[in-house]
Amino acid sequence: LEPKEEFEHKTLAMDVMRPRRSDPPLSVLTQSGMSVDQVEAVIADTSYSGFPIVMSQESQRLVGFVLQRDLVISIENARRCQEGIVGASQVLFTEHTPGQPHGGPPALNLRSIMDLSPLAITDHTPMDITVDIFRKLGLRQCLVTRNGRLLGIITKKDILKHMAQMTNRDPESILFN
Ligand code: ADP
């Protein structure tokens, strides 16, 4: 019996994904209902490279994924060049942008910068398979779901750290891709 192999089969995506049980919840954006100010606050309060987009906080149904740097650039551009976009404007990732709300500023639709089909695996996916998927698809991150609800995220660096732990090696020394 190979002890390492047995252990690897027992490590699942849920063991490697963030947030850990003691961490603050996953930072997500909703596909509608958040203002430019609120989105900017999420960006300012965190240092993540990206954010999953969910249908609503209640459903946590995955809609897409957006890179932090694309968000920053697009909001800055819109504030500068797009008529009427202010902090109170609603940010949308939806297919349709409703007409200007009564008295309110126009909405800012950022669907064009969203990855519409980010890769998602279930929390029960074994890590050896997850590592294979990362390698073969050249992923930077993947999302973890259960019954359609978003639970967490695994980045390439999370995988490298996990592999280093498994083999007691320096993450930098593991050749990836
Ligand atoms: P990297 O892992 O390359 O440093 P990030 O800076 O995006 O990439 O992520 C740092 C850590 O935070 C990782 O452990 C990752 O799993 C986690 N993480 C990434 N995005 C989010 C998010 N939106 N909400 C909560 N945790 C996240």
Side-chain angles (χ1 to χ4, degrees), residues 3 5 26-27 52 63 67 71 76 80 90 99 104 113 116-117 135-136 141 147 150 155 159 169-170:
E5 206 169 280
L26 197 65
S27 278
V63 169
L67 290 176
L71 263 182
E76 196 184 290
R80 211 155 21 101
Q90 191 183 184
I113 62 165
L116 295 169
S117 30
R135 280 213 176 104
K136 291 193 171 132
Q141 75 278 312
N147 298 330
L150 179 63
T155 67
I159 297 247
R169 274 160 68 196
D170 174 11

Side-chain angles (χ1 to χ4, degrees), residues 90 98-107:
Q90 191 183 184
Q100 187 162 344
H102 269 306

Side-chain angles (χ1 to χ4, degrees), residues 27-71:
S27 278
V28 299
L29 302 176
T30 51
Q31 67 173 352
S32 62
M34 289 178 81
S35 66
V36 167
D37 279 340
Q38 285 172 322
V39 171
E40 283 181 330
V42 172
I43 296 169
D45 290 346
T46 61
S47 58
Y48 305 126
S49 330
F51 302 96
I53 316 274
V54 292
M55 226 156 79
S56 66
Q57 289 289 353
E58 303 73 57
S59 78
Q60 289 291 314
R61 220 154 267 280
L62 183 63
V63 169
F65 189 83
V66 69
L67 290 176
Q68 187 263 8
R69 60 161 190 272
D70 291 342
L71 263 182

Side-chain angles (χ1 to χ4, degrees), residues 39-143:
V39 171
E40 283 181 330
V42 172
I43 296 169
D45 290 346
T46 61
S47 58
Y48 305 126
S49 330
F51 302 96
I53 316 274
V54 292
M55 226 156 79
S56 66
Q57 289 289 353
E58 303 73 57
S59 78
Q60 289 291 314
R61 220 154 267 280
L62 183 63
V63 169
F65 189 83
V66 69
L67 290 176
Q68 187 263 8
R69 60 161 190 272
D70 291 342
L71 263 182
V72 169
I73 294 170
S74 300
I75 291 177
E76 196 184 290
N77 271 342
R79 273 188 183 273
R80 211 155 21 101
C81 314
Q82 208 172 317
E83 184 83 21
I85 299 300
V86 290
S89 295
Q90 191 183 184
V91 175
L92 297 174
F93 295 94
T94 50
E95 224 165 317
H96 303 287
T97 311
Q100 187 162 344
H102 269 306
L108 171 58
N109 197 315
L110 295 180
R111 189 176 177 88
S112 62
I113 62 165
M114 172 170 81
D115 178 353
L116 295 169
S117 30
L119 198 103
I121 57 174
T122 72
D123 58 337
H124 280 87
T125 308
M127 273 317 288
D128 55 346
I129 293 177
T130 306
V131 169
D132 238 33
I133 295 173
F134 265 78
R135 280 213 176 104
K136 291 193 171 132
L137 300 182
L139 298 182
R140 296 214 51 94
Q141 75 278 312
C142 99
L143 300 165

Side-chain angles (χ1 to χ4, degrees), residues 8 12 15 18 51 86 98 118 122 142 144 157 164 171 173 176-177:
E8 261 183 11
L12 305 175
D15 304 317
R18 309 302 156 109
F51 302 96
V86 290
T122 72
C142 99
V144 182
K157 228 184 248 175
S173 76
F176 209 71
N177 284 337

